[in-house]
Amino acid sequence: MGLRVAVVGAGIGGLTLAHALRRRGVDCVVLDRDAGPGATDGYRLHLTEQAFAALNEVLPESSVRALRACGAGNDAFQQFAVLDHRGRTRLRIPIRHSGEVLLIGRRPLRAILARGLERHIRWGTTVTEPPGAEFDLVVAADGTGSRIAGQWVGRPTARRSGIIGLAGRSRLPQRIPAGLRDGLAFMIGPAGVGAFLSLQARRGEDPAAEDPYVVWSVAAPLGSADGDLTALAHRLTASWTGDLHALIDGSEPGSVAAFPFYFPAALEPWPAGRVTLLGDAVHPMPPTAGAGASTAILDAVHLARDLAAMPLERALAAYQARLLRYAPRAVNEARPALRWQRRLADPLLFALAVEIGLPLADAGLRLAQTARRTGALDMRAPASSAGRGLAMKKPWPRR
């Protein structure tokens, strides 16, 4: 009798793992408390070149086509723009891709990942402790604050960062904020408040596709977020451009939510045995680097490869050792934006950054681009240290 795996959590990582296991002939069951794949909150996700290549490896071709139909690719992520709270573009960082990326909403991504797994997912199943002996392996893929992971490790696996995000999905306004048609945007404002903007500009042909929208997210150092979240977002950005307030006011009913940013409590080895950890259950991270979903996808593909290639004990050891090499780097990519957000709470530093530092960096990038176009620089050289820091890095090993 072959290996039998229980995957607790039908999120992005858990569903990817189910496909990867099935592709390798490993029997699995996915357990999730939701009533179905559409019962999820969440906004637009960025899948890196490595993550999208991993999905290409394990998904049916029809599902890969559906992902492309529901999302946006390299053409929609050509730059990362930094704006001030008045809506002025202070810095534009060009993004260069070595492969295919995907920007896609969490709902269509989850719906497409659930296709083909209908007989293997038990929706409406709440799991509070590792399932019984009918399974050789239990994978805790049930997200930040995972109860299974906490029980197995003996402590919480996540800690709050001190930042809370307020986010919503807004209907497309008549005026699209600067730079959004070419990529993503981050706005910096006084008092350590920041905002993130992302545009889904078209509706694809697939049934899971979403109507066009803008995601807005306001992040601030808050102990809690209670009451009217829309009003709170307006208060936090009271002196900001009216374009942002128009997006907040245009939010779809029920789309505005608050979510604390988390870091791992400790990224260190967990006990060996019949339980292992995956995704946010072991390495939660703020969305500031756009790496959470991509890292969970890579976890899933690596784990499935190891389980198919080695005896169970060796496979889990190899998987854990690899994850503990690349996951800390992915988590650390989310830290600089939060550090700068805290530093820019200083009014003097904020003014220097907005009026001098960021425009100078932007001018330097423009000069470097011009020089490359005229052949004065090696085309293979990175645009600048700023570009290296804010572009998506590639720390994950491929096998």
Side-chain angles (χ1 to χ4, degrees):
M1 186 174 177
L3 183 69
R4 186 163 167 77
V5 179
V7 182
V8 180
I12 307 308
L15 293 173
T16 301
L17 177 60
H19 279 288
L21 291 173
R22 297 294 302 167
R23 177 62 64 96
R24 289 167 173 80
V26 178
D27 189 20
C28 69
V29 173
V30 183
L31 311 170
D32 196 279
R33 66 184 178 184
D34 289 344
T40 183
D41 294 323
Y43 306 96
R44 209 174 188 210
L45 301 174
H46 166 214
L47 302 188
T48 63
E49 293 103 325
Q50 295 88 349
F52 195 54
L55 289 178
N56 268 277
E57 177 184 322
V58 302
L59 293 181
E61 185 179 343
S62 60
S63 292
V64 175
R65 288 198 303 269
L67 291 177
R68 291 192 178 104
C70 291
N74 296 20
D75 290 345
F77 192 20
Q78 300 181 54
Q79 73 170 19
F80 185 92
V82 181
L83 286 64
D84 68 11
H85 63 300
R86 297 185 180 94
R88 299 178 298 172
T89 301
R90 305 279 81 186
L91 173 64
R92 290 157 294 179
I93 301 170
I95 304 295
R96 285 169 284 161
H97 305 288
S98 60
E100 186 177 4
V101 302
L102 186 72
L103 301 173
I104 187 170
R106 182 179 293 275
R107 284 177 182 161
L109 176 58
R110 192 187 193 201
I112 293 167
L113 289 177
R115 293 176 185 173
L117 297 175
E118 290 80 3
R119 295 189 299 108
H120 303 282
I121 306 176
R122 298 177 187 172
W123 297 109
T125 304
T126 299
V127 181
T128 58
E129 58 185 28
E134 62 179 301
F135 298 105
D136 304 293
L137 174 65
V138 176
V139 180
D142 48 341
T144 302
S146 164
R147 296 181 66 173
I148 303 297
Q151 288 180 26
W152 187 253
V153 175
R155 55 168 174 76
T157 56
R159 64 172 179 83
R160 291 196 178 200
S161 69
I163 300 291
I164 291 180
L166 309 173
R169 290 161 45 109
S170 178
R171 298 178 295 275
L172 285 190
Q174 290 185 340
R175 181 168 124 155
I176 302 296
L180 280 192
R181 292 197 182 277
D182 298 317
L184 311 179
F186 182 72
M187 301 180 72
I188 56 173
V193 178
F196 177 81
L197 301 175
S198 176
L199 169 68
Q200 174 69 29
R202 64 180 180 85
R203 179 181 174 85
E205 299 296 328
D206 191 89
E210 300 174 296
D211 290 331
Y213 61 88
V214 174
V215 172
W216 61 265
S217 174
V218 175
L222 294 171
S224 62
D226 301 316
D228 187 333
L229 298 180
T230 299
L232 177 57
H234 280 304
R235 288 199 301 273
L236 290 169
T237 59
S239 63
W240 291 41
T241 173
D243 287 346
L244 178 64
H245 291 282
L247 289 176
I248 295 171
D249 285 332
S251 299
E252 298 173 3
S255 74
V256 181
F259 50 95
F261 290 1
Y262 286 92
F263 282 111
L267 256 178
E268 58 189 27
W270 57 88
R274 61 183 291 267
V275 175
T276 197
L277 316 182
L278 183 149
D280 286 345
V282 59
H283 51 62
M285 61 190 82
T288 46
S294 292
T295 311
I297 288 168
L298 294 167
D299 292 349
V301 174
H302 287 315
L303 177 56
R305 286 174 180 165
D306 290 336
L307 290 173
M310 309 177 200
L312 180 59
E313 186 175 342
R314 283 180 52 206
L316 295 180
Y319 163 72
Q320 183 180 137
R322 185 191 299 104
L323 181 149
L324 291 174
R325 288 194 299 271
Y326 67 75
R329 294 197 294 271
V331 171
N332 287 338
E333 287 183 14
R335 298 183 190 276
L338 297 185
R339 291 195 188 107
W340 274 108
Q341 191 170 327
R342 285 192 290 268
R343 290 170 183 164
L344 293 177
D346 181 297
L348 178 59
L349 186 57
F350 174 76
L352 288 172
V354 167
E355 302 301 336
I356 300 174
L358 292 174
L360 280 176
D362 186 68
L365 285 174
R366 304 285 77 73
L367 285 173
Q369 286 180 295
T370 301
R372 278 199 303 277
R373 283 196 296 268
T374 58
L377 292 178
D378 183 351
M379 290 293 290
R380 295 169 298 174
S384 72
S385 59
R388 287 198 302 271
L390 283 173
M392 177 56 61
K393 299 179 182 176
K394 306 173 181 62
W396 302 288
R398 297 284 307 275
R399 283 172 54 178

